[in-house]
Each structure stands twice: as C-alpha cells, then as structure tokens.
Amino acid sequence: MDPLSVSASIIGLLAVAAKVTVLLTVLVDSAKAIPQLVQSVLTEVSDISACLGQLQAFLTGAKSASRSRTSLIMVEQVVVILAGCVSTFSELEAVAERLKTEQPIRALEKLKWARKEGDISKILGRLQASKSSLNLILAVLT
C-alpha cells in the first residue's frame, strides 16, 4: 500500500472517529447513569484522532522526519494498525448506534448498558492498544 492510500485511510478513520465522538458525546450528555467506561472510550477515541492527525502530517509533508527514522517504520506496520482501528471503530459505532436514545435513560436503557459493558470494555482495550502502537510510530518519527 502506498503512502497516498495510507493517507486516504487516515482521512476515513478521522471521519469515523468524528462520528463516533458525536454519538458517544450524545450518550454521555443524555444521562448521568452511563458508566465511566464510556467516558474512557470517548477519551481514547479523541487521543487516537490526535495521533492520526499527527501521522497524517508526516504523510502529507507538513511535518518531516529524518530518513534514518522513517526507514525504521514499514508501511505494512502502519496498514495493520490502521486496519485494526477501522475494525474497532466500526464495532464501536455499531454498539453506540444500538445504545443511543432520544430520551433520558431509564431502567430499560440501563439494562442495555449493563449487557454491553463487556463489549465496550473489550473495545476500550483495543483502542488503547491502537493508541499505543500509533504513539510508538510517532515516537520513532520525532
């Protein structure tokens, strides 16, 4: 995969991250009973978006790194990380869509949250792993 395709993938991921952020923000704002776990997921999505933005800056040439540093990173590694982000964000978006509500959260919605808490915890773990991988790449570049 060439850098242009990677850059396009990052742009797509940033768009999905923005959509997920809106969904999660609405959920957090709609009820105080939503677990802290959702706020943690929201924070991770925001952090990953920042990492993706920095990586995008390197790919577009807005930031530069020495040849010796860029040679330490294989495009395939970046592609694997981005593919993981796509998968995780897609799953997170689906969970958030199922849990969103137009009214304040009541007992039935709290039950839905309780049932999805395990799924959300797994997603949080994958988000944290993706963020760590992206941060390592950025650390090599800077």
Side-chain angles (χ1 to χ4, degrees):
M1 185 177 253
D2 64 293
L4 185 59
S5 297
V6 173
S7 187
S9 296
I10 290 173
I11 291 169
L13 270 169
L14 287 169
V16 172
K19 183 177 180 185
V20 167
T21 298
V22 169
L23 282 169
L24 293 175
T25 301
V26 168
L27 288 170
V28 168
D29 291 345
S30 71
K32 293 168 184 34
I34 290 179
Q36 178 63 32
L37 181 63
V38 177
Q39 185 60 48
S40 297
V41 169
L42 188 55
T43 300
E44 292 300 324
V45 169
S46 176
D47 291 349
I48 289 173
S49 295
C51 290
L52 290 171
Q54 289 178 12
L55 185 57
Q56 180 74 357
F58 281 105
L59 290 170
T60 61
K63 287 186 176 183
S64 62
S66 69
R67 188 92 163 131
S68 62
R69 289 185 178 271
T70 58
S71 67
L72 296 172
I73 299 169
M74 295 174 35
V75 175
E76 291 80 11
Q77 293 169 319
V78 177
V79 169
V80 167
I81 294 166
L82 295 178
C85 286
V86 168
S87 172
T88 303
F89 279 10
S90 294
E91 186 178 347
L92 178 58
E93 183 180 13
V95 169
E97 284 284 351
R98 283 192 301 271
L99 292 172
K100 78 177 182 180
T101 180
E102 302 300 320
Q103 304 115 20
I105 292 193
R106 289 178 247 172
L108 184 58
E109 282 81 18
K110 287 180 188 177
L111 247 139
K112 285 184 353 186
W113 275 106
R115 289 180 51 219
K116 290 294 178 188
E117 200 163 351
D119 293 342
I120 295 170
S121 290
K122 289 176 188 172
I123 291 170
L124 177 61
R126 291 199 318 266
L127 288 170
Q128 290 168 335
S130 294
K131 182 180 77 172
S132 294
S133 297
L134 288 167
N135 276 325
L136 285 172
I137 287 174
L138 292 171
V140 168
L141 292 174
T142 56

